[in-house]
Structures are given as C-alpha cells and as structure tokens.
Amino acid sequence: MRQIILRAYSAIKFSRRFLFKSASGGLFCCLLAMPSVDAGADLLTTGLQTVDLVKVDKSERKMYLLSGGKIVKEYRVALGENPQGHKQQEGDERTPEGDYTLDYKKEDSAYYRAMHISYPNAVDVAEAEKKGIAPGGFIMVHGQRNGLGWLAPLVQYFNWTNGCIALTDAEMDEFMNLVSIGTTIRIEW
C-alpha cells in the first residue's frame, strides 16, 4: 500500500504542469500548488503509521510521536510555568509525570483544540489525599489560546501553561489527526 501511495505522489509531483488551450488556440501553463517534497514525504510517512505512544521529555521541551518504538513526529512544546517535578496539587503550574492515557478530544476548548490527559490517576489522588490537598486536573495537550494563535512563534519559547502541554495550532491539527483516543502518553523529566 505504501508503495502505491509513494508512486502516486511521485506521479503527481512530476505532473504539476498542465497545458490548457486558451480561447485563441494558444497554449498556456498552469502550476498547481503542491506541498514541498519534504513536507509531502513527511506527511506520507506519518500518515501510514499508527502512533502507539506519545512521549514528552520535559527537560528538552520535546514531544515525540512513536510507532513501534520509532519516532515518526517531533514537536517543540510549552509546559507549565514550573515544569520540573511531578504535578502535586492544583495551582502548582507543573506538568504531571508518568504514564497516562489520552482519553478524549475537546473541540470546544478555550485553547484552539485539545486532547485530555487522564491526570489525576488513582495514585495521584491517593497522594494528594494523604497531604490534604487537591491534586488538580483537566490537564490537556492543546493549541494556542483562542484568537492568539498568531503569537505561537513567540510564546512557544516560554513555559506558559498551568500544567498542560501546548503546541501551535497547526501542530495541534496534525496531532489530533495522528493520535487516537486511548493512546498512552508518557511524560518524564
């Protein structure tokens, strides 16, 4: 199947020029808008693989989409303002650490689009109860704040969330297309 798609892409790539007859019988050339060869190849590669793990390295501020142990996509992310260490309680501005599940998509978010992370789990809740604090929650992988996506080239250089993991809006569209509900997300320092 992959070979067929790659051949089709190659055929389209090389036949971007089409000749049309004008009303006077002359010929003119029309170029079709096509993605760059690198972008197209990248989309073909990730589009044919099932993402089975999302891995976040908080120390590098990177997110990796993996399929069968191989990285198929990499993103630079923004995290909570206090990223080092596991989220302990509501308001600590930390991004949790550990294995969680991406358990639902949220299209009506205050941040472009979002996918929920299953924090807090039973261990997080028990630890918070022992300390007499609220563990917090509603941690998401999300895009930019609605209406401010144009600021992403600047704000993605800072840890600006309250504990979530932020991508640009375009990256969030790609993430939502490549990652299924039920996929494990592993977050570590």
Side-chain angles (χ1 to χ4, degrees):
M1 177 68 171
R2 184 167 193 247
Q3 290 292 348
I4 293 169
I5 292 172
L6 289 174
R7 280 190 211 137
Y9 180 77
S10 295
I12 292 168
K13 182 177 74 170
F14 290 112
S15 62
R16 291 189 291 183
R17 293 190 175 128
F18 291 92
L19 298 176
F20 296 90
K21 285 191 176 184
S22 69
S24 63
L27 296 175
F28 67 93
C29 182
C30 175
L31 295 176
L32 296 176
M34 292 290 294
S36 71
V37 172
D38 291 336
D42 188 38
L43 289 174
L44 284 173
T45 302
T46 55
L48 293 175
Q49 299 185 23
T50 302
V51 173
D52 52 24
L53 176 66
V54 175
K55 184 176 177 186
V56 178
D57 184 331
K58 295 192 323 179
S59 66
E60 291 183 4
R61 297 184 58 211
K62 297 278 187 167
M63 174 189 286
Y64 305 95
L65 305 185
L66 290 95
S67 177
K70 294 182 181 180
I71 297 171
V72 295
K73 197 69 187 171
E74 177 182 324
Y75 303 105
R76 179 173 176 76
V77 297
L79 302 166
E81 289 184 55
N82 187 19
Q84 192 167 7
H86 180 57
K87 183 165 192 63
Q88 303 281 318
Q89 68 182 35
E90 187 171 353
D92 66 7
E93 298 184 336
R94 288 186 177 160
T95 303
E97 295 177 358
D99 285 0
Y100 296 92
T101 301
L102 293 162
D103 54 5
Y104 66 87
K105 293 180 180 184
K106 185 163 175 56
E107 297 288 352
D108 62 345
S109 171
Y111 297 89
Y112 185 60
R113 298 175 79 190
M115 191 177 287
H116 184 257
I117 298 170
S118 65
Y119 175 87
N121 61 25
V123 173
D124 298 319
V125 170
E127 286 297 316
E129 284 177 0
K130 280 197 288 190
K131 296 174 185 174
I133 55 177
F138 212 55
I139 303 296
M140 303 273 197
V141 176
H142 62 67
Q144 303 296 295
R145 182 176 290 281
N146 288 334
L148 298 177
W150 60 275
L151 282 173
L154 174 64
V155 299
Q156 283 301 100
Y157 283 99
F158 302 95
N159 286 325
W160 57 270
T161 77
N162 289 326
C164 294
I165 300 166
L167 299 167
T168 69
D169 292 350
E171 291 169 338
M172 195 63 211
D173 284 337
E174 184 175 62
F175 179 86
M176 295 282 264
N177 287 332
L178 295 174
V179 179
S180 300
I181 292 170
T183 301
T184 298
I185 182 166
R186 180 168 296 145
I187 308 167
E188 50 196 24
W189 183 257

